[in-house]
Amino acid sequence: MERIGSLARPAPVVSVLRLYGAIGVGGPFGRSLDDAGLAGLVERAFAPKRLAAVALAINSPGGSPAQSALIAARIRRKADEKKTPVIAFCEDVAASGGYWLACAADEIYADDNAILGSIGVVSAGFGLHEAIGRLGVERRVHTAGSRKTMLDPFRPEDADDVERLKRLQRGIHDNFIEHVRRSRGARLKGDEDALFTGDIWLGREAQALGLIDGIGHLAPMMKARFGEKVRFNVTRPRRSLLQRLGAPGAAELIGAVEERAMRARFGL
């Protein structure tokens, strides 16, 4: 009778939400992750009956801090509403905004070779004022508001503009640190200040620092926890028609170039 009962008992479900790519870059038709595009997928991930957990499969070099925060908050709200554990699995990279997403989970696991961390804020650009001068080009900008041309790449860098940018970066960095502390709590180990310099670590180094809970991969860990019969409900962002036809559009190509540049920062 016990065997018959076990055969009839429905298998638990683990929803797998794939969070692959840069966050909030590439335009509306690109391949990046954003809160609006993921809203329906998050709903679907938490919708199945007999849901045992939601697993986040993360492979992201980061991107927009605002979109990172919005996505993570949406996942967290749904997890609290459904009282469902969320477990993150980091693949090649979960850095900067990618690690922000991982911290939406109750537990974080990663591959040995995964790159994690980069808890910081970066802003990069070019100064082209000397180049356009040599070309005989005159820059003409007319504004209503003296601060509208902050960090104009065609004008010499202004010290006040740099200080304003750094003030914004400090605010975002503080928000990032608060998010990590709220998520990881007492699991963080050692000198916390050293964790928030923007440095990156491999899987076991991140585990020793308390940034992740261990080394592990999604399918075997979920089977070990919920049984070999566990069913995986995979949700992923829908590819555009051009992507499905194998012919990405201009916006998608730009997004891919931007993401490639972000991954290159981590040697990927």
Side-chain angles (χ1 to χ4, degrees), residues 42-182:
V42 172
E43 290 292 326
R44 281 166 46 195
F46 284 91
K49 296 179 180 179
R50 300 180 299 279
L51 184 63
V54 171
L56 307 179
I58 299 174
N59 196 339
S60 173
S64 162
Q67 289 299 318
S68 302
L70 288 167
I71 297 166
R74 179 179 296 277
I75 293 169
R76 197 65 253 158
R77 286 195 305 272
K78 206 66 186 175
D80 293 340
E81 175 191 331
K82 295 290 188 176
K83 297 180 173 54
T84 300
V86 177
I87 305 166
F89 293 89
C90 305
E91 299 180 2
D92 297 275
V93 59
S96 196
Y99 185 68
W100 196 312
L101 297 183
C103 285
D106 300 289
E107 303 172 43
I108 305 174
Y109 297 91
D111 183 79
D112 257 323
N113 302 298
I115 295 173
L116 303 122
S118 192
I119 304 169
V121 183
V122 63
S123 178
F126 298 94
L128 301 174
H129 60 285
E130 293 184 359
I132 66 172
R134 286 194 294 269
L135 292 172
V137 177
E138 180 186 1
R139 173 71 162 160
R140 296 175 181 174
V141 180
H142 307 281
T143 69
S146 60
R147 298 291 192 175
K148 288 295 290 183
T149 57
M150 185 176 82
L151 297 176
D152 185 333
F154 297 102
R155 293 188 172 189
E157 191 170 67
D158 182 89
D160 289 340
D161 286 351
V162 173
E163 179 50 41
R164 289 165 62 211
L165 175 63
K166 288 185 177 295
R167 174 173 54 82
L168 297 175
Q169 289 179 320
R170 285 192 295 269
I172 295 170
H173 194 200
D174 288 344
N175 293 336
F176 196 171
I177 292 169
E178 181 183 355
H179 175 63
V180 174
R181 283 178 171 154
R182 185 167 56 245

Side-chain angles (χ1 to χ4, degrees), residues 21-36:
I23 302 166
V25 300
F29 304 107
R31 51 178 293 193
S32 68
L33 304 169
D34 61 62
D35 181 54

Side-chain angles (χ1 to χ4, degrees), residues 229-240:
K229 301 291 186 181
V230 66
R231 290 196 302 110
F232 292 103
N233 171 50
V234 180
T235 59
R236 58 170 63 86
R238 177 187 289 272
R239 296 187 303 164
S240 71

Side-chain angles (χ1 to χ4, degrees), residues 223-263:
K223 287 182 178 181
R225 186 171 299 195
F226 300 111
E228 288 292 326
K229 301 291 186 181
V230 66
R231 290 196 302 110
F232 292 103
N233 171 50
V234 180
T235 59
R236 58 170 63 86
R238 177 187 289 272
R239 296 187 303 164
S240 71
L241 175 61
L242 288 173
Q243 284 179 319
R244 294 197 296 274
L245 294 174
E252 290 166 322
L253 289 172
I254 292 170
V257 170
E258 289 180 334
E259 181 181 335
R260 183 69 189 87
M262 294 173 69
R263 288 182 179 273

